[in-house]
Amino acid sequence: LSMDDRDGFIWLDGKVVPWRDSRMHVLTHALHYGSAVFEGERIYDGRVFRLAAHSQRLINSARLLDYEIPWTRQQIEEATRAVVKANGLQSGYVRPIAWRGSEVMGVSAIGTTVHLAIAPWAQEGRLSVQARDAGINVTMAKYRRPSADFAPGHAKVAGLYLICGIEKDKALKAGFDDALMLDWKGDLAESTGANIFLVIDGTLVTPTPENFLDGITRRAVMSLARKRGWSVEERTVKPQELSRASEVFLCGTAAEIVPVGSVDGHNYQAGPVARTLMADFHKLVRSPDCEGFGESTHLAPPVDRAA
Ligand code: PMP
């Protein structure tokens, strides 16, 4: 089913509109200059996991690009709930996106209107249960995540997905499921759409997100592991350490938690650490307070943190 030709509703600039009517002009700034910011969220039992954290990260991403979304976090949360309900979804994926409009054409976005759309649809975890059992097969990407003074890496901004898209397509065409990306220094960063964990000598190790997205799922996974009394290290991870790991897994909103079965032919077992965390995660996302900031309080503005 083509994404632009479906039944259902999208929240667009304050109104819930029929799916096929949510269109924009070809001279939209974001289309030409990559200035859209977005989120990926997941609906479990009719509720959006970490809705507050995702909505705040959307606002923060726009601010990192020097623009303000003309809706408060609470309004974005209400709009999300309303459109999920309008579509009658109990489970699925939500894509909120904010972008600079079409009033002016040129590199500068000054003078353009900021728009916001929220589109939810039915979508199970990206990967089949079978792929989850065996683990996915990944390769190493050529392009690297840029340094913090080269791009606003903590913003979930359309422009920064250019290299992710190229690497993901290349991996799929070569028969892999995804690609692992290094950062500008040559250290392990993340995959094209998820964060990464390695299990080394019984410790969970994950790269410090200095120049890439500090995933909301990543934070949840660290917290679940610590609750089990497991040691978790956030540190620089060299790609060579992949050969020492007993398990490797990815995590993100779309991927949830997915074991890696191989990296360029080096095989891993979809092991007990990932399996236990998958079960814990399954429970967490269905807990009654799952819509809040949870363990992602780093995304909340100080005023909200005190409240
Ligand atoms: N890195 C990238 C590049 C991503 O696209 C995502 C998915 N949003 C993540 C990491 C994981 O982030 P989250 O857990 O917040 O979905």
Side-chain angles (χ1 to χ4, degrees), residues 261-289:
S262 72
V263 180
D264 281 325
H266 180 95
N267 292 319
Y268 298 96
Q269 294 257 303
V273 173
R275 298 220 163 279
T276 303
L277 290 169
M278 284 157 83
D280 289 355
F281 186 72
H282 182 91
K283 271 192 221 125
L284 178 72
V285 297
R286 288 167 179 85
S287 60
D289 59 347

Side-chain angles (χ1 to χ4, degrees), residues 190-266:
E190 57 177 351
S191 80
T192 65
N195 290 118
I196 187 166
F197 283 82
L198 286 68
V199 182
I200 300 176
D201 299 330
T203 294
L204 275 139
V205 177
T206 189
T208 314
E210 274 166 7
N211 39 51
F212 56 88
L213 207 66
D214 185 350
I216 290 166
T217 318
R218 172 186 182 279
R219 290 271 176 165
V221 164
M222 290 197 292
S223 154
L224 290 172
R226 287 183 175 131
K227 271 190 196 141
R228 285 203 165 262
W230 297 345
S231 65
V232 180
E233 280 179 15
E234 267 187 288
R235 62 165 173 82
T236 299
V237 184
K238 300 282 174 200
Q240 299 86 306
E241 294 186 71
L242 282 166
S243 61
R244 286 179 50 215
S246 57
E247 280 183 64
V248 177
F249 62 88
L250 305 180
C251 69
T253 296
E256 300 179 297
I257 296 172
V258 59
V260 171
S262 72
V263 180
D264 281 325
H266 180 95

